[in-house]
PDB file of all heavy atoms in Angstrom:
ATOM      1  N   SER A 126      -6.835   5.904  -9.940  1.00 97.00           N
ATOM      2  CA  SER A 126      -5.679   6.801  -9.759  1.00 97.00           C
ATOM      3  C   SER A 126      -6.141   8.017  -8.971  1.00 97.00           C
ATOM      4  O   SER A 126      -7.284   8.408  -8.948  1.00 97.00           O
ATOM      5  CB  SER A 126      -5.088   7.237 -11.094  1.00 97.00           C
ATOM      6  OG  SER A 126      -6.010   8.015 -11.807  1.00 97.00           O
ATOM      7  N   ARG A 127      -5.147   8.619  -8.293  1.00 97.00           N
ATOM      8  CA  ARG A 127      -5.333   9.825  -7.507  1.00 97.00           C
ATOM      9  C   ARG A 127      -4.139  10.728  -7.796  1.00 97.00           C
ATOM     10  O   ARG A 127      -3.034  10.236  -8.035  1.00 97.00           O
ATOM     11  CB  ARG A 127      -5.423   9.554  -6.001  1.00 97.00           C
ATOM     12  CG  ARG A 127      -6.553   8.672  -5.554  1.00 97.00           C
ATOM     13  CD  ARG A 127      -7.882   9.424  -5.658  1.00 97.00           C
ATOM     14  NE  ARG A 127      -8.971   8.765  -4.938  1.00 97.00           N
ATOM     15  CZ  ARG A 127      -9.677   7.807  -5.444  1.00 97.00           C
ATOM     16  NH1 ARG A 127      -9.465   7.346  -6.608  1.00 97.00           N
ATOM     17  NH2 ARG A 127     -10.668   7.277  -4.714  1.00 97.00           N
ATOM     18  N   SER A 128      -4.328  12.043  -7.698  1.00 97.00           N
ATOM     19  CA  SER A 128      -3.276  12.997  -7.994  1.00 97.00           C
ATOM     20  C   SER A 128      -3.213  14.120  -6.941  1.00 97.00           C
ATOM     21  O   SER A 128      -4.214  14.409  -6.289  1.00 97.00           O
ATOM     22  CB  SER A 128      -3.468  13.650  -9.355  1.00 97.00           C
ATOM     23  OG  SER A 128      -3.402  12.662 -10.362  1.00 97.00           O
ATOM     24  N   PHE A 129      -2.050  14.696  -6.826  1.00 97.00           N
ATOM     25  CA  PHE A 129      -1.863  15.904  -6.047  1.00 97.00           C
ATOM     26  C   PHE A 129      -0.809  16.755  -6.722  1.00 97.00           C
ATOM     27  O   PHE A 129      -0.016  16.245  -7.521  1.00 97.00           O
ATOM     28  CB  PHE A 129      -1.468  15.636  -4.578  1.00 97.00           C
ATOM     29  CG  PHE A 129      -0.118  15.014  -4.405  1.00 97.00           C
ATOM     30  CD1 PHE A 129       0.985  15.786  -4.191  1.00 97.00           C
ATOM     31  CD2 PHE A 129       0.032  13.593  -4.398  1.00 97.00           C
ATOM     32  CE1 PHE A 129       2.265  15.201  -4.047  1.00 97.00           C
ATOM     33  CE2 PHE A 129       1.260  13.049  -4.244  1.00 97.00           C
ATOM     34  CZ  PHE A 129       2.380  13.836  -4.048  1.00 97.00           C
ATOM     35  N   ASN A 130      -0.829  18.053  -6.431  1.00 96.00           N
ATOM     36  CA  ASN A 130       0.216  18.969  -6.965  1.00 96.00           C
ATOM     37  C   ASN A 130       1.221  19.180  -5.862  1.00 96.00           C
ATOM     38  O   ASN A 130       0.830  19.585  -4.741  1.00 96.00           O
ATOM     39  CB  ASN A 130      -0.413  20.289  -7.416  1.00 96.00           C
ATOM     40  CG  ASN A 130      -1.223  20.089  -8.668  1.00 96.00           C
ATOM     41  OD1 ASN A 130      -0.802  19.421  -9.599  1.00 96.00           O
ATOM     42  ND2 ASN A 130      -2.403  20.676  -8.719  1.00 96.00           N
ATOM     43  N   TYR A 131       2.474  19.011  -6.192  1.00 95.00           N
ATOM     44  CA  TYR A 131       3.568  19.340  -5.268  1.00 95.00           C
ATOM     45  C   TYR A 131       4.095  20.697  -5.668  1.00 95.00           C
ATOM     46  O   TYR A 131       4.622  20.888  -6.753  1.00 95.00           O
ATOM     47  CB  TYR A 131       4.654  18.260  -5.424  1.00 95.00           C
ATOM     48  CG  TYR A 131       5.728  18.293  -4.374  1.00 95.00           C
ATOM     49  CD1 TYR A 131       5.414  18.332  -3.019  1.00 95.00           C
ATOM     50  CD2 TYR A 131       7.104  18.289  -4.725  1.00 95.00           C
ATOM     51  CE1 TYR A 131       6.418  18.325  -2.034  1.00 95.00           C
ATOM     52  CE2 TYR A 131       8.067  18.271  -3.748  1.00 95.00           C
ATOM     53  CZ  TYR A 131       7.738  18.316  -2.424  1.00 95.00           C
ATOM     54  OH  TYR A 131       8.708  18.333  -1.460  1.00 95.00           O
ATOM     55  N   VAL A 132       3.843  21.691  -4.801  1.00 91.00           N
ATOM     56  CA  VAL A 132       3.987  23.055  -5.136  1.00 91.00           C
ATOM     57  C   VAL A 132       5.159  23.691  -4.360  1.00 91.00           C
ATOM     58  O   VAL A 132       5.193  23.569  -3.132  1.00 91.00           O
ATOM     59  CB  VAL A 132       2.685  23.836  -4.874  1.00 91.00           C
ATOM     60  CG1 VAL A 132       2.854  25.327  -5.191  1.00 91.00           C
ATOM     61  CG2 VAL A 132       1.529  23.271  -5.672  1.00 91.00           C
ATOM     62  N   ASP A 133       6.027  24.382  -5.067  1.00 83.00           N
ATOM     63  CA  ASP A 133       7.090  25.129  -4.457  1.00 83.00           C
ATOM     64  C   ASP A 133       6.564  26.567  -4.193  1.00 83.00           C
ATOM     65  O   ASP A 133       6.332  27.313  -5.124  1.00 83.00           O
ATOM     66  CB  ASP A 133       8.333  25.161  -5.405  1.00 83.00           C
ATOM     67  CG  ASP A 133       9.539  25.805  -4.753  1.00 83.00           C
ATOM     68  OD1 ASP A 133       9.386  26.552  -3.767  1.00 83.00           O
ATOM     69  OD2 ASP A 133      10.633  25.500  -5.234  1.00 83.00           O
ATOM     70  N   GLU A 134       6.415  26.909  -2.907  1.00 74.00           N
ATOM     71  CA  GLU A 134       5.841  28.222  -2.558  1.00 74.00           C
ATOM     72  C   GLU A 134       6.684  29.378  -3.059  1.00 74.00           C
ATOM     73  O   GLU A 134       6.178  30.458  -3.340  1.00 74.00           O
ATOM     74  CB  GLU A 134       5.700  28.305  -1.027  1.00 74.00           C
ATOM     75  CG  GLU A 134       4.606  27.450  -0.505  1.00 74.00           C
ATOM     76  CD  GLU A 134       4.501  27.620   1.027  1.00 74.00           C
ATOM     77  OE1 GLU A 134       5.499  27.483   1.710  1.00 74.00           O
ATOM     78  OE2 GLU A 134       3.379  27.889   1.463  1.00 74.00           O
ATOM     79  N   ASP A 135       7.979  29.172  -3.219  1.00 65.00           N
ATOM     80  CA  ASP A 135       8.875  30.241  -3.658  1.00 65.00           C
ATOM     81  C   ASP A 135       8.679  30.629  -5.125  1.00 65.00           C
ATOM     82  O   ASP A 135       9.094  31.658  -5.562  1.00 65.00           O
ATOM     83  CB  ASP A 135      10.342  29.871  -3.451  1.00 65.00           C
ATOM     84  CG  ASP A 135      10.721  29.964  -1.943  1.00 65.00           C
ATOM     85  OD1 ASP A 135       9.907  30.458  -1.167  1.00 65.00           O
ATOM     86  OD2 ASP A 135      11.811  29.477  -1.591  1.00 65.00           O
ATOM     87  N   ILE A 136       8.038  29.728  -5.920  1.00 57.00           N
ATOM     88  CA  ILE A 136       7.887  30.055  -7.329  1.00 57.00           C
ATOM     89  C   ILE A 136       6.438  30.298  -7.696  1.00 57.00           C
ATOM     90  O   ILE A 136       6.100  30.442  -8.864  1.00 57.00           O
ATOM     91  CB  ILE A 136       8.506  28.964  -8.243  1.00 57.00           C
ATOM     92  CG1 ILE A 136       7.828  27.626  -8.034  1.00 57.00           C
ATOM     93  CG2 ILE A 136       9.989  28.894  -8.076  1.00 57.00           C
ATOM     94  CD1 ILE A 136       8.221  26.569  -9.027  1.00 57.00           C
ATOM     95  N   THR A 137       5.510  30.372  -6.716  1.00 48.00           N
ATOM     96  CA  THR A 137       4.108  30.699  -7.013  1.00 48.00           C
ATOM     97  C   THR A 137       4.034  32.140  -7.387  1.00 48.00           C
ATOM     98  O   THR A 137       4.927  32.943  -7.070  1.00 48.00           O
ATOM     99  CB  THR A 137       3.214  30.361  -5.805  1.00 48.00           C
ATOM    100  OG1 THR A 137       3.620  31.133  -4.701  1.00 48.00           O
ATOM    101  CG2 THR A 137       3.165  28.887  -5.512  1.00 48.00           C
ATOM    102  N   ASP A 138       2.914  32.523  -8.017  1.00 49.00           N
ATOM    103  CA  ASP A 138       2.827  33.923  -8.439  1.00 49.00           C
ATOM    104  C   ASP A 138       2.705  34.829  -7.233  1.00 49.00           C
ATOM    105  O   ASP A 138       2.252  34.451  -6.167  1.00 49.00           O
ATOM    106  CB  ASP A 138       1.668  34.091  -9.411  1.00 49.00           C
ATOM    107  CG  ASP A 138       0.303  33.951  -8.759  1.00 49.00           C
ATOM    108  OD1 ASP A 138       0.233  33.573  -7.564  1.00 49.00           O
ATOM    109  OD2 ASP A 138      -0.663  34.242  -9.431  1.00 49.00           O
ATOM    110  N   ASP A 139       3.104  36.123  -7.410  1.00 48.00           N
ATOM    111  CA  ASP A 139       3.140  37.054  -6.315  1.00 48.00           C
ATOM    112  C   ASP A 139       1.775  37.678  -6.014  1.00 48.00           C
ATOM    113  O   ASP A 139       1.649  38.468  -5.083  1.00 48.00           O
ATOM    114  CB  ASP A 139       4.111  38.209  -6.631  1.00 48.00           C
ATOM    115  CG  ASP A 139       5.545  37.717  -6.582  1.00 48.00           C
ATOM    116  OD1 ASP A 139       5.812  36.731  -5.856  1.00 48.00           O
ATOM    117  OD2 ASP A 139       6.414  38.346  -7.240  1.00 48.00           O
ATOM    118  N   SER A 140       0.725  37.300  -6.754  1.00 45.00           N
ATOM    119  CA  SER A 140      -0.567  37.905  -6.523  1.00 45.00           C
ATOM    120  C   SER A 140      -1.171  37.485  -5.183  1.00 45.00           C
ATOM    121  O   SER A 140      -2.111  38.100  -4.701  1.00 45.00           O
ATOM    122  CB  SER A 140      -1.569  37.512  -7.648  1.00 45.00           C
ATOM    123  OG  SER A 140      -1.749  36.124  -7.648  1.00 45.00           O
ATOM    124  N   SER A 141      -0.621  36.440  -4.593  1.00 45.00           N
ATOM    125  CA  SER A 141      -1.110  35.977  -3.279  1.00 45.00           C
ATOM    126  C   SER A 141      -0.364  36.605  -2.120  1.00 45.00           C
ATOM    127  O   SER A 141      -0.670  36.326  -0.945  1.00 45.00           O
ATOM    128  CB  SER A 141      -1.072  34.439  -3.211  1.00 45.00           C
ATOM    129  OG  SER A 141       0.267  34.069  -3.262  1.00 45.00           O
ATOM    130  N   SER A 142       0.626  37.420  -2.356  1.00 43.00           N
ATOM    131  CA  SER A 142       1.408  38.005  -1.296  1.00 43.00           C
ATOM    132  C   SER A 142       0.621  39.086  -0.534  1.00 43.00           C
ATOM    133  O   SER A 142      -0.326  39.624  -1.095  1.00 43.00           O
ATOM    134  CB  SER A 142       2.723  38.560  -1.807  1.00 43.00           C
ATOM    135  OG  SER A 142       2.509  39.822  -2.424  1.00 43.00           O
ATOM    136  N   GLU A 143       1.070  39.367   0.635  1.00 44.00           N
ATOM    137  CA  GLU A 143       0.368  40.355   1.445  1.00 44.00           C
ATOM    138  C   GLU A 143       0.451  41.739   0.855  1.00 44.00           C
ATOM    139  O   GLU A 143      -0.333  42.620   1.175  1.00 44.00           O
ATOM    140  CB  GLU A 143       0.961  40.367   2.884  1.00 44.00           C
ATOM    141  CG  GLU A 143       2.425  40.798   2.947  1.00 44.00           C
ATOM    142  CD  GLU A 143       2.986  40.771   4.346  1.00 44.00           C
ATOM    143  OE1 GLU A 143       2.465  41.536   5.198  1.00 44.00           O
ATOM    144  OE2 GLU A 143       3.874  39.953   4.586  1.00 44.00           O
ATOM    145  N   TYR A 144       1.416  42.004  -0.039  1.00 39.00           N
ATOM    146  CA  TYR A 144       1.610  43.317  -0.634  1.00 39.00           C
ATOM    147  C   TYR A 144       0.767  43.517  -1.864  1.00 39.00           C
ATOM    148  O   TYR A 144       0.620  44.638  -2.321  1.00 39.00           O
ATOM    149  CB  TYR A 144       3.089  43.531  -0.967  1.00 39.00           C
ATOM    150  CG  TYR A 144       3.969  43.432   0.267  1.00 39.00           C
ATOM    151  CD1 TYR A 144       4.794  42.321   0.423  1.00 39.00           C
ATOM    152  CD2 TYR A 144       3.925  44.388   1.241  1.00 39.00           C
ATOM    153  CE1 TYR A 144       5.600  42.216   1.537  1.00 39.00           C
ATOM    154  CE2 TYR A 144       4.732  44.277   2.403  1.00 39.00           C
ATOM    155  CZ  TYR A 144       5.570  43.167   2.512  1.00 39.00           C
ATOM    156  OH  TYR A 144       6.326  43.074   3.641  1.00 39.00           O
ATOM    157  N   SER A 145       0.151  42.496  -2.414  1.00 39.00           N
ATOM    158  CA  SER A 145      -0.548  42.633  -3.705  1.00 39.00           C
ATOM    159  C   SER A 145      -1.813  43.467  -3.531  1.00 39.00           C
ATOM    160  O   SER A 145      -2.316  44.021  -4.472  1.00 39.00           O
ATOM    161  CB  SER A 145      -0.882  41.272  -4.272  1.00 39.00           C
ATOM    162  OG  SER A 145      -1.732  40.571  -3.409  1.00 39.00           O
ATOM    163  N   SER A 146      -2.377  43.516  -2.308  1.00 40.00           N
ATOM    164  CA  SER A 146      -3.602  44.276  -2.088  1.00 40.00           C
ATOM    165  C   SER A 146      -3.334  45.755  -1.733  1.00 40.00           C
ATOM    166  O   SER A 146      -4.260  46.519  -1.617  1.00 40.00           O
ATOM    167  CB  SER A 146      -4.428  43.605  -1.004  1.00 40.00           C
ATOM    168  OG  SER A 146      -3.707  43.620   0.231  1.00 40.00           O
ATOM    169  N   MET A 147      -2.055  46.108  -1.604  1.00 42.00           N
ATOM    170  CA  MET A 147      -1.716  47.510  -1.233  1.00 42.00           C
ATOM    171  C   MET A 147      -1.761  48.370  -2.490  1.00 42.00           C
ATOM    172  O   MET A 147      -1.400  47.919  -3.592  1.00 42.00           O
ATOM    173  CB  MET A 147      -0.322  47.556  -0.611  1.00 42.00           C
ATOM    174  CG  MET A 147      -0.241  46.757   0.692  1.00 42.00           C
ATOM    175  SD  MET A 147       1.381  46.831   1.377  1.00 42.00           S
ATOM    176  CE  MET A 147       1.331  48.398   2.198  1.00 42.00           C
ATOM    177  N   PRO A 148      -2.249  49.585  -2.338  1.00 42.00           N
ATOM    178  CA  PRO A 148      -2.285  50.480  -3.504  1.00 42.00           C
ATOM    179  C   PRO A 148      -0.888  50.816  -3.992  1.00 42.00           C
ATOM    180  O   PRO A 148       0.070  50.865  -3.221  1.00 42.00           O
ATOM    181  CB  PRO A 148      -2.987  51.754  -2.953  1.00 42.00           C
ATOM    182  CG  PRO A 148      -2.976  51.651  -1.505  1.00 42.00           C
ATOM    183  CD  PRO A 148      -2.746  50.216  -1.131  1.00 42.00           C
ATOM    184  N   THR A 149      -0.793  50.977  -5.259  1.00 41.00           N
ATOM    185  CA  THR A 149       0.489  51.297  -5.920  1.00 41.00           C
ATOM    186  C   THR A 149       0.534  52.768  -6.214  1.00 41.00           C
ATOM    187  O   THR A 149      -0.414  53.283  -6.823  1.00 41.00           O
ATOM    188  CB  THR A 149       0.681  50.474  -7.200  1.00 41.00           C
ATOM    189  OG1 THR A 149       0.488  49.105  -6.864  1.00 41.00           O
ATOM    190  CG2 THR A 149       2.050  50.675  -7.778  1.00 41.00           C
ATOM    191  N   GLU A 150       1.622  53.406  -5.853  1.00 47.00           N
ATOM    192  CA  GLU A 150       1.793  54.859  -6.176  1.00 47.00           C
ATOM    193  C   GLU A 150       2.735  54.989  -7.337  1.00 47.00           C
ATOM    194  O   GLU A 150       3.830  54.401  -7.354  1.00 47.00           O
ATOM    195  CB  GLU A 150       2.381  55.577  -4.930  1.00 47.00           C
ATOM    196  CG  GLU A 150       2.511  57.034  -5.176  1.00 47.00           C
ATOM    197  CD  GLU A 150       3.068  57.703  -3.912  1.00 47.00           C
ATOM    198  OE1 GLU A 150       2.856  57.207  -2.839  1.00 47.00           O
ATOM    199  OE2 GLU A 150       3.748  58.735  -4.111  1.00 47.00           O
ATOM    200  N   ILE A 151       2.268  55.714  -8.327  1.00 47.00           N
ATOM    201  CA  ILE A 151       3.138  55.934  -9.500  1.00 47.00           C
ATOM    202  C   ILE A 151       3.762  57.274  -9.350  1.00 47.00           C
ATOM    203  O   ILE A 151       3.126  58.302  -9.187  1.00 47.00           O
ATOM    204  CB  ILE A 151       2.331  55.864 -10.780  1.00 47.00           C
ATOM    205  CG1 ILE A 151       1.655  54.490 -10.929  1.00 47.00           C
ATOM    206  CG2 ILE A 151       3.189  56.208 -11.986  1.00 47.00           C
ATOM    207  CD1 ILE A 151       0.749  54.333 -12.089  1.00 47.00           C
ATOM    208  N   VAL A 152       5.104  57.345  -9.399  1.00 46.00           N
ATOM    209  CA  VAL A 152       5.827  58.584  -9.244  1.00 46.00           C
ATOM    210  C   VAL A 152       6.414  58.951 -10.619  1.00 46.00           C
ATOM    211  O   VAL A 152       7.061  58.108 -11.259  1.00 46.00           O
ATOM    212  CB  VAL A 152       6.976  58.449  -8.219  1.00 46.00           C
ATOM    213  CG1 VAL A 152       7.753  59.750  -8.122  1.00 46.00           C
ATOM    214  CG2 VAL A 152       6.407  58.034  -6.894  1.00 46.00           C
TER     215      VAL A 152
END
Side-chain angles (χ1 to χ4, degrees):
S126 66
R127 297 288 194 276
S128 297
F129 67 90
N130 289 316
Y131 191 51
V132 178
D133 187 339
E134 289 180 307
D135 286 350
I136 61 171
T137 58
D138 69 353
D139 289 335
S140 64
S141 63
S142 77
E143 63 181 297
Y144 301 108
S145 63
S146 62
M147 297 179 82
T149 306
E150 181 180 332
I151 300 175
V152 178

